[in-house]
Amino acid sequence: MLDRRDVGIATGIYLLAFSVYFLTYAGYPISDDERAMFASASSFQRIGAFTIHPLYHLDVKPGSANVGMFTTSGEMVPNYEPGQIFALVPWLWLSDRLGSGRFQYC
């Protein structure tokens, strides 16, 4: 059974983690991996395919992280498990419905 002390400790840890995230949030994807994850989740949400949008791989610099591979048809697909994409899709759907946008582009 949880007592007040346990609830206080859990709340403190949550607030600490949230404050670190809130203070370091940039509003745009920082790494190539984040960009590829967003592009593939957005593509899966809209058209139901595990592809990475061409605007993503036109922006990838040579020698950067290898987060996708080209198929024989010329499409780029992510190199990571689809579970991450499935987990992100409901949040993208919610942001579309709320009109809160996705990322800021600089």
Side-chain angles (χ1 to χ4, degrees), residues 13-90:
I13 291 171
Y14 170 77
L15 290 174
L16 177 66
F18 180 76
S19 65
V20 168
Y21 171 78
F22 183 71
L23 293 173
T24 60
Y25 176 71
Y28 56 90
I30 296 172
S31 68
D32 288 337
D33 189 41
E34 290 176 8
R35 236 180 273 134
M37 172 77 75
F38 172 71
S40 57
S42 179
S43 176
F44 183 73
Q45 178 201 15
R46 292 173 187 219
I47 62 174
F50 285 109
T51 58
I52 296 176
H53 194 276
L55 289 178
Y56 163 74
H57 55 81
L58 291 175
D59 189 36
V60 175
K61 298 155 197 66
S64 64
N66 183 17
V67 295
M69 60 187 168
F70 288 98
T71 63
T72 55
S73 63
E75 295 178 318
M76 188 179 211
V77 294
N79 279 344
Y80 40 78
E81 299 295 329
Q84 297 173 345
I85 296 169
F86 290 139
L88 187 57
V89 166

